[in-house]
Amino acid sequence: MKRNDFPILTETMNDEPFIYFDSAATSLTPEPVVNAIRDYYRNVNTNVHRGVYTLAAQATEHYEAVRQQTADFIHADKANEIIFTSGTTAGLNQVARGWGDLNVHAGDEIVVTLMEHHSNLVPWQQLAQRQHAVLKVIGITADGQLDWSAFQAALSHQTKVVAVTAVSNVLGTRNPITKIAAAAHAVNAAVVVDAAQAVAHFPIDVQAWNADFIAFSAHKMFGPTGVGVLYGKTERLQEMAPTQFGGEMIEDVTQQTATFKAAPLGFEAGTPNIAGVYGLGAAIDYLAQIGYEAIQTQEHKLDQALKAALDQPDVTVYGSNNPFAHTGVFSFNLTGIHPHDVATALDQQGVAVRAGHHCAEPLTEALGVHATVRASVGFYNTIDECARFGHAIQATRRFFA
Amino acid sequence: MKRNDFPILTETMNDEPFIYFDSAATSLTPEPVVNAIRDYYRNVNTNVHRGVYTLAAQATEHYEAVRQQTADFIHADKANEIIFTSGTTAGLNQVARGWGDLNVHAGDEIVVTLMEHHSNLVPWQQLAQRQHAVLKVIGITADGQLDWSAFQAALSHQTKVVAVTAVSNVLGTRNPITKIAAAAHAVNAAVVVDAAQAVAHFPIDVQAWNADFIAFSAHKMFGPTGVGVLYGKTERLQEMAPTQFGGEMIEDVTQQTATFKAAPLGFEAGTPNIAGVYGLGAAIDYLAQIGYEAIQTQEHKLDQALKAALDQPDVTVYGSNNPFAHTGVFSFNLTGIHPHDVATALDQQGVAVRAGHHCAEPLTEALGVHATVRASVGFYNTIDECARFGHAIQATRRFFA
Amino acid sequence: MSLSNLNQLYRQVLLDHARYPRHQGTLPAPDATLTVHNPTCGDTISLNVAYDGDRLKQITFTGDGCTISQASASMLCDQMTDQPLTTVQAKLDQFDQLVTGTGTATDLLGDAAVFNEIHQFPTRIKCALLAWKALEQLITQKEAQQ
Amino acid sequence: MSLSNLNQLYRQVLLDHARYPRHQGTLPAPDATLTVHNPTCGDTISLNVAYDGDRLKQITFTGDGCTISQASASMLCDQMTDQPLTTVQAKLDQFDQLVTGTGTATDLLGDAAVFNEIHQFPTRIKCALLAWKALEQLITQKEAQQ
Ligand SMILES: Cc1ncc(COP(=O)(O)O)c(C=O)c1O
Ligand SMILES: Cc1ncc(COP(=O)(O)O)c(C=O)c1O
């Protein structure tokens, strides 16, 4: 499964073979992506949209070609619906302020879920505060699914935005975006999807989803850090104001006034992460080459193997009992052992997992705990690694017994 | 002069030896910086501030070490005064909104100069509009220097911010920041310095400048794209509110409310450009290794050689007559030939220059033109390249004669 | 130093149009006027048109900018003066294909066929298209009004 | 699987303190109380202190968190109960140096000397320091009030 594109997977860690189970925090980066970044610096290394000379034209052409490639990747209608950002958090904040401040007014309602990452919760809290709007947080069922009847009950003609994650970064739950969007559109609300945890795992089709805005980060889909994508429907982008000013987003400037370009350039102030966009293009190529089908086949096996590995006394797994509902993300606790201690013990056995609230404090609290351990995988992980992870958990339980 | 750290300099362009004279748009990136980025992806490749395991701790330690390194680089008091951004434009916008919205009120005045890049002009225009403040734009003298008496006359106890570029990206003019800051502080105004064009050319000492905020981009100082620095004095950062929300900038989150970390983490929402910060660290190391003294010695020679190369009939150079007042940046026009045509002709002779308003429309207009040609150099350029550039200009004049 | 490539871009006919532009100026009673500009370089073109039913009767331009954009505007006016709107549209389409390298020139374009190599200079395509895109917008406006 | 390294971190005395924490609970009439937490993991420690002039007379804690942070709080209270403030400060300073690997432990730290290897586990230093930093803050507050 192309493991040798990821040299780090053959390293040892604390004298044990290294097992990387933290892909939900950031995915590993394959050699072709690293090479695309290196090649930009070695062979092109000029700014975009600003030069008449040959290399600058080449950089601009490539940058815009990646925009088209990204549009095709998520099945967007037009390349102009793709805005390059510095990441998911930046994209969601841009929508909450740039679109939200203009379109959400006093008394309006914003609907989010209890599953949201802080990056898709706090910008909406802040918008609600700025505009004197109401924030409604929809809860989850015992097996970690969106409480659909509560969601339906929350919608009304006051609802202006529904902001929801495609996949929970704690439980791995996949939300039914198409159904959510249809219900939201029935009351004329805009739908904002946090796709950060989706894009490494299954194909995104913005037209099937019919979402108004979608944000994701390259670094969670085998691409580089510091670059991400905000998709917006053309009509929605026309309702959005820039939140950052300067550089190439401007049409005309006088001493006292300025007019701005239309999307996408009007929303990309300053020199963008050009090398990052080269890397994003290479990551999309790489994903296409592996294929989502192969990825899903492997991840199905991993989901089963992880569930089996965690099937031990004194282990509580949060969310669904169905391994396939986890999208490669398993949060759990060992009775009587603090998650930090578990993570340290696993680290000493070569296994990298996260412990904490995973930037989802309200959800963690709703699970009745302060923190959890999270193991999250990518297609490059193996069944054998899952088994060794199971043994490491066993050894950890014994150590602290 | 370490030219072989920049392999692109040995390429040919349109069958001529390539001459890169567009460093003011983005500097070339030496191999050690590219290698630092590659090494992060190959050997570390984990998220920062979030993991208990060994590699995550290593990434976090390095990330914070670069913060300290950056603080030392610009002689900041504390590492906590260094905020990593996605670039100069992002940093200036963060100050204008995060600090400006809280500290500039109706009737207050904001002072900028006619030399500003759009990124240090339009955010202040927008702040003035949001807060009903007054924006004052200080003009320049015939030889491209700040009109000091106009500047002094503009200051009053109404002045809340003075935003000024350290070096003009069109004229190369260096502004007297220490003197500007002293005058601004005498009326209790905060001083915001755009150091984008300074940092590749001379050492920055924030304490000598006594500026309140300083922004610059890694990609103009031999570092990567998509990462920059915002320096803020501790007291000023305490007066600033976050403008982006989510991820690791949060202290505590409930469903309806959130509290934020102090600087710097409270101002760095979302996964940062980790590879970019590794690259920035390598760029600072690289600059230290070359040494600003060697850089300035070489650039002095280049300034003289460029001035000589442009000393031709029908060539108008903007700004100072003194070559050393140009900081490696020369904007010029050939009588009767449009700058775009000049840039195309030079490109065909292997020379990469920019043509346009260089994101400084009000200044370009004040020069009485619609556009200029700009040649800008770095320490890696040679006297011979300047001479060949002179011949290329000559050939261009003949071609269009 | 080799400027041979440049000859492909700046051919004599183009330099002539730039130096001695035709149809430069305003119209006494235009049916419509439109000013467009290229934000990258600041080039500006203003077009003035007068229609006679389904004919583009008169067209003039004023402007400021590079050799390419000004010569191209001059050629545009040459080509479009006193043409039926269907022909105007056909010429606009063909010019677009010519400069983007997706088609070749026929007699329809006259002097403007000189741009058959510009697709090798991608940063200058916008300059060549500026006036032509402006006319396209004017025609669209006219159609929208009918 | 090798857990040998772990023995260096989780030594018996530490596990004992975690399992049977001392001085856990509140105080009937504390002079001051402070709750701190480690945002990364959510660990919480609340300290309650009672002074007698320049002496730290009583100190108790409540909290929730990992073995390290809870055991460390238990040891802190052990060490600090009924100590002159100058000794308290000396112990705080020495503990800080110990866990950051910039100094060694003396008798002054008692059981808390068990943390002499924690600098090899940089992600857990914050856990060990949590309660100690809280007491430092309380002492600073007391000094500010005088
Ligand atoms: C003086 C000046 N300020 C600001 C900027 C904006 O920098 P960036 O595009 O990296 O945000 C630039 C460069 O384009 C500049 O030259
Ligand atoms: C569901 C979800 N949303 C948003 C984010 C934020 O992404 P980033 O940190 O790349 O901005 C993350 C990752 O941390 C995530 O898992």
Side-chain angles (χ1 to χ4, degrees), chain A residues 24-26 86-93 115-120 165-170 194-198 215-220 226-228 354 358-359 374, chain B residues 47 50 246-248 269-272:
Chain A
T26 196
S86 61
T88 309
T89 303
L92 294 169
N93 275 280
M115 266 177 265
E116 301 314 312
H117 187 280
H118 294 162
S119 293
N120 200 29
T165 191
V167 175
S168 159
N169 69 317
V170 176
D194 172 356
Q197 290 296 338
F216 56 94
S217 302
H219 76 92
K220 293 193 201 271
V227 61
R354 267 189 80 187
H358 316 297
C359 296
R374 182 182 76 183
Chain B
N47 214 323
R50 302 186 185 193
E248 285 298 296
T271 302

Side-chain angles (χ1 to χ4, degrees), chain A residues 86-104:
Chain A
S86 61
T88 309
T89 303
L92 294 169
N93 275 280
Q94 198 168 358
V95 177
R97 193 185 289 271
W99 186 89
D101 280 10
L102 292 179
N103 295 282
V104 175

Side-chain angles (χ1 to χ4, degrees), chain A residues 50 270-271, chain B residues 87-89 117 119 165 167 169 194 196-197 217 219-220:
Chain A
R50 302 184 185 194
T271 302
Chain B
T88 309
T89 302
H117 187 280
S119 293
T165 192
V167 175
N169 69 317
D194 173 355
Q197 291 296 339
S217 301
H219 76 92
K220 294 194 202 270

